[in-house]
Amino acid sequence: MQGGARRLWTGATLVTLAGDRDWGLVPDGALVVEGETLRWVGPAAALPEAFRQGVVEERDLGGALVTPGLIDCHTHLVYGGERSAEFELRLQGATYEEIARAGGGIRSTVAATRLAGEHALHVLAVQRARALMAEGLTTLEVKSGYGLSLAAEAKCLRVARKLGELGLTVRTTYLGAHALPPEFDGREGGQDDYVDAVCAWLPELKRQGLVDAVDAFCERIAFTPAQTRRVFEAARALGLPVKLHAEQLSDQGGAALAAEFGALSCDHLEYLSDAGVAAMARAGTVAVLLPGAFYFLRETKLPPIAALREAGVPIALATDHNPGSSPGLSLLLMLNMACTFFRMTPEEALRGLTVNAARALGLPDRGRLAAGQRADFCIWDAAHPRELAYWFGRNPLRQTVAGGRPRA
Ligand code: NIG
Ligand code: FE
């Protein structure tokens, strides 16, 4: 036996998502876990005798549903303050873009985040992460982008990394190119000077072990494609993968640019063009759709789901948790909204929070129930996996197992 104590889980209705389509349902299934890894997955009747040997613990799930652990592949979880006043302004007719141009929006969160101490930010981020974990989160991506100075970006990324202590896998993404900080505003070439600074800080942040990927906000109210390209070149020089906030409010050709750099994902995508879809398909870039932001900004333009499907672009989902465009903390609600708003099937939606979300993070070791995958899985009190997308405001999670360890 290799890799730690062997545990056997039986009586499971497995939702393996093992193939490219269908749920991969296995009634009366069994899982053999060794240390942090799934060693065997399949119908209990087919479990080889060799895998029964050396089992230190056996648990019968009595028919409960088991899915891969849920993955939130796009969040801005570390920030100070909140923006409910901005929500009221938007309800009175102001747009997200107008608020940003008037110096509110992201910039107001930057001010609050800079003022907050590292411990205070950690306490807030832990509360948010725990809310996501209550619905089965096992892997979490967190972006910086509310510090916008070397010291403040590092502070936020350290807070993000520390969330790993909760028994989660955390991936950190450097989003220095999120907005222009006030100290670069109102001067000639300020935007380009700031992009130079964003690129200059990257090697140091990487040296400190704080960066797994690099993201940018390519938009009229943020950075141009040319500026985004410079950020991507800095990432490439350090061997870091890229992602992009692309075509959220307008079509900037950002997705095609990101695809040129072999991006792991392009995210939002309401204004994605056919050319953008084709470029993403060629590059194997994942489309991360964010129903929470679509809903909360009262967007009416749908991302081009049918075109993405047809082109074979993998579709992931995420909360995009942030105080401006998506202050929500429910992965299950994202499943439901992906079906109601985007007309995704419940199976596509669950793939979006598991296997395709893993791909958006460059983590092929998770997202399915199969031998060799990381032992991250969720046990649900539900008869069929489509129920996970059906209920809203009701959480059928019984237990989560992360890295082979059942959570208390
Ligand atoms: O993903 N679009 C840019 N970034 C965030 C919103 C950030 C904010 O409003 O604070 C998003 O929607
Ligand atoms: Fe975002």
Side-chain angles (χ1 to χ4, degrees):
M1 203 208 319
Q2 38 166 298
R6 181 176 278 178
R7 293 191 160 76
L8 173 61
W9 303 76
T10 56
T13 304
L14 302 175
V15 185
T16 64
L17 304 175
D20 284 342
R21 62 189 44 152
D22 301 330
W23 297 101
L25 277 179
V26 180
D28 198 10
L31 297 161
V32 177
V33 175
E34 265 176 33
E36 297 185 349
T37 309
L38 289 171
R39 277 291 162 225
W40 192 89
V41 177
L47 177 65
E49 192 47 42
F51 281 102
R52 285 197 175 271
Q53 283 160 24
V55 166
V56 296
E57 192 183 2
E58 180 171 342
R59 294 196 199 189
D60 183 346
L61 294 174
L65 207 66
V66 176
T67 67
L70 301 189
I71 299 172
D72 197 347
C73 67
H74 180 144
T75 81
H76 309 249
L77 206 81
V78 178
Y79 58 86
E82 52 79 28
R83 307 229 295 269
S84 56
E86 182 183 308
F87 175 49
E88 280 189 327
L89 287 176
R90 285 198 298 102
L91 292 174
Q92 287 155 21
T95 67
Y96 181 79
E97 212 163 330
E98 283 162 3
I99 291 166
R101 287 190 197 285
I106 296 174
R107 294 247 303 242
S108 66
T109 300
V110 170
T113 305
R114 285 178 170 183
L115 277 175
E118 194 157 332
H119 177 69
L121 286 174
H122 177 66
V123 170
L124 290 169
V126 166
Q127 286 170 1
R128 296 171 192 144
R130 285 204 191 282
L132 294 169
M133 290 166 73
E135 291 185 350
L137 179 81
T138 51
T139 298
L140 172 67
E141 186 259 16
V142 183
K143 300 175 197 298
S144 67
Y146 292 124
L148 312 187
S149 68
L150 176 57
E153 288 288 291
K155 172 177 76 175
C156 294
L157 290 166
R158 280 194 302 270
V159 170
R161 270 274 183 269
K162 200 172 158 59
L163 296 174
E165 292 172 2
L166 300 175
L168 286 172
T169 303
V170 173
R171 301 300 274 180
T172 55
T173 302
Y174 173 49
L175 178 55
H178 195 198
L180 188 66
E183 57 277 22
F184 284 81
D185 204 3
R187 53 156 140 136
E188 179 107 24
Q191 188 95 8
D192 279 315
D193 291 350
Y194 179 62
V195 171
D196 287 343
V198 166
C199 297
W201 299 334
L202 181 54
E204 176 57 20
L205 293 169
K206 185 187 178 221
R207 195 191 60 74
Q208 292 179 24
L210 294 173
V211 183
D212 297 317
V214 175
D215 195 345
F217 186 19
C218 183
E219 192 51 73
R220 293 186 294 231
I221 51 167
F223 297 91
T224 65
Q227 290 164 340
T228 302
R229 177 181 291 277
R230 285 204 280 136
V231 174
F232 284 176
E233 277 164 357
R236 180 151 71 188
L238 294 170
L240 289 166
V242 301
K243 311 168 81 63
L244 188 66
H245 280 70
E247 341 307 11
Q248 179 184 11
L249 308 169
S250 63
D251 181 13
Q252 299 286 309
L257 170 66
E260 192 186 317
F261 284 80
L264 287 172
S265 71
C266 290
D267 305 38
H268 287 289
L269 301 174
E270 279 83 346
Y271 291 80
L272 181 64
S273 66
D274 289 346
V277 173
M280 288 175 67
R282 277 194 301 275
T285 298
V286 176
V288 179
L289 305 185
L290 304 167
F294 176 91
Y295 159 74
F296 197 64
L297 295 185
R298 298 166 64 231
E299 179 60 70
T300 51
K301 185 158 168 48
L302 287 163
I305 319 282
L308 289 166
R309 241 188 225 130
E310 208 163 301
V313 175
I315 300 176
L317 298 172
T319 62
D320 191 20
H321 177 84
N322 75 77
S325 70
S326 189
L329 286 164
S330 170
L331 286 161
L332 293 172
L333 186 57
M334 296 307 112
L335 288 180
N336 179 265
M337 285 181 171
C339 299
T340 53
F341 289 144
F342 298 165
R343 298 285 197 86
M344 288 171 66
T345 67
E347 183 216 319
E348 284 175 324
L350 186 64
R351 285 180 181 273
L353 286 185
T354 53
V355 60
N356 290 344
R359 188 157 165 193
L361 297 177
L363 295 172
D365 68 336
R366 65 198 67 200
R368 294 175 297 126
L369 298 178
Q373 290 264 292
R374 190 177 156 79
D376 285 353
F377 55 91
C378 296
I379 303 161
W380 308 92
D381 287 314
H384 192 281
R386 66 182 163 239
E387 282 185 51
L388 302 179
Y390 163 74
W391 303 105
F392 61 99
R394 170 176 183 260
N395 179 6
L397 184 71
R398 186 194 292 181
Q399 191 169 35
T400 303
V401 177
R405 303 167 94 100
R407 277 188 195 145

